[in-house]
Amino acid sequence: MNSFVLPHEVHGGGAHRVFAVHGWFADRSAYAAVLPDLDRAAFTYVAVDLRGYGEAADAEGPYTTTRAAGDLVALADRLGWGRFSVIGHSMGGAVAQRLLALAPERLRRIVGVSPVPAAGMPLSGEQGALFTDAAHKAANRRAIIDFTTGGRRPDAWLDRMVALSLGRSDPKAFRAWLDSWAGEDFHTEVTGSEVPALAVAGELDPAVSPGLLRETWLSWYRNGQLVTLPGAGHYAMDETPLELIRVVEDFLRADGPA
């Protein structure tokens, strides 16, 4: 029997329970900038470390969105959560969509913040090498973060993000995760879902752009919505935290009482 439990921390005590799932470059500390200003009376937020990250850096794989979705359902059971919502950033957005395939009856709402589409994001050539080698090259991680935030962020912030990424992820797991979120296409398993689904795009993000999400997210989900945040790139939690909170919590509140 698998006794693994996703490392996690709880914020708030509200009736609407919400998982917060990080992306490829960080552990649950990716949400640090928004934590102080969340509505803890209305929501209970649980931020998790996926396998290969943070307190789960030494956890065995597989390092896949499918395994992560199963880990979240297992954690929900352990916490006594029947139905819940999930927020996922980037790769975590793909995990959120995997939950639609695995346990749609458990989900109240999903939010993707610059979410990788369920069709994946195939990489090849120089771009593929850039991402593949980011597992062990800090310069590649920095280039990716700089590009996906429009080349507008301070050097000190870029350096801090890279240091966080290197310090909070296992290189082997980091590389394996790439094959899952970039290479797997499961959009046919979620197309037509009626679970309310919000995608939040950064205006400055050329990778997971508003246009890409209109073509994917909005075409797959019957109750899909798209909001573009001016001034944000791929990392809205750091770039525009208050605007992100407002958009996400307004969407979650629209679900009404549990």
Side-chain angles (χ1 to χ4, degrees):
M1 179 177 179
N2 183 7
S3 60
F4 175 76
V5 178
L6 287 176
H8 59 281
E9 57 188 42
V10 181
H11 301 274
H16 192 148
R17 287 111 173 220
V18 186
F19 282 126
V21 185
H22 61 81
W24 193 41
F25 275 90
D27 63 343
R28 66 181 188 253
S29 65
Y31 291 95
V34 302
L35 292 179
D37 301 304
L38 297 174
D39 185 345
R40 298 170 184 237
F43 304 101
T44 297
Y45 290 98
V46 170
V48 303
D49 285 336
L50 298 177
R51 294 173 187 253
Y53 291 88
E55 293 180 18
D58 295 331
E60 294 182 357
Y63 307 107
T64 65
T65 58
T66 300
R67 179 66 271 174
D71 287 340
L72 286 169
V73 170
L75 179 56
D77 291 342
R78 178 175 287 264
L79 294 171
W81 290 8
R83 297 185 69 236
F84 52 89
S85 295
V86 58
I87 301 168
H89 172 243
S90 192
M91 176 180 81
V95 173
Q97 293 169 86
R98 277 289 189 188
L99 277 169
L100 282 180
L102 178 65
E105 74 285 352
R106 301 288 293 271
L107 292 176
R108 296 178 66 171
R109 297 192 160 220
I110 74 167
V111 178
V113 181
S114 298
V116 171
M121 297 186 70
L123 303 168
S124 61
E126 292 184 2
Q127 186 184 50
L130 177 69
F131 278 74
T132 298
D133 292 346
H136 59 273
K137 291 184 178 180
N140 288 38
R141 298 195 190 201
R142 194 181 195 279
I144 293 168
I145 296 170
D146 190 29
F147 173 72
T148 57
T149 53
R152 301 189 183 190
R153 301 306 172 212
D155 287 340
W157 180 80
L158 293 171
D159 292 340
R160 179 169 64 83
M161 292 290 282
V162 172
L164 174 67
S165 177
L166 290 169
R168 303 296 287 172
S169 64
D170 173 75
K172 176 173 61 71
F174 186 89
R175 174 63 187 85
W177 273 108
L178 175 64
D179 290 337
S180 181
W181 67 256
E184 295 175 357
D185 181 352
F186 61 95
H187 80 279
T188 58
E189 299 178 44
V190 295
T191 297
S193 171
E194 296 186 358
V195 174
L198 171 67
V200 181
E203 175 190 36
L204 305 177
D205 185 358
V208 186
S209 65
L212 175 64
L213 293 173
R214 277 191 290 270
E215 295 171 2
T216 56
W217 192 282
L218 292 186
S219 70
W220 298 334
Y221 302 124
R222 293 179 180 177
N223 294 309
Q225 299 178 37
L226 172 63
V227 173
T228 300
L229 291 182
H234 196 72
Y235 296 88
M237 292 92 72
D238 283 271
E239 299 170 276
T240 56
L242 297 181
E243 291 83 355
L244 178 64
I245 291 171
R246 176 187 56 80
V247 167
V248 170
E249 292 195 334
D250 283 353
F251 173 76
L252 294 176
R253 284 194 188 93
D255 196 64

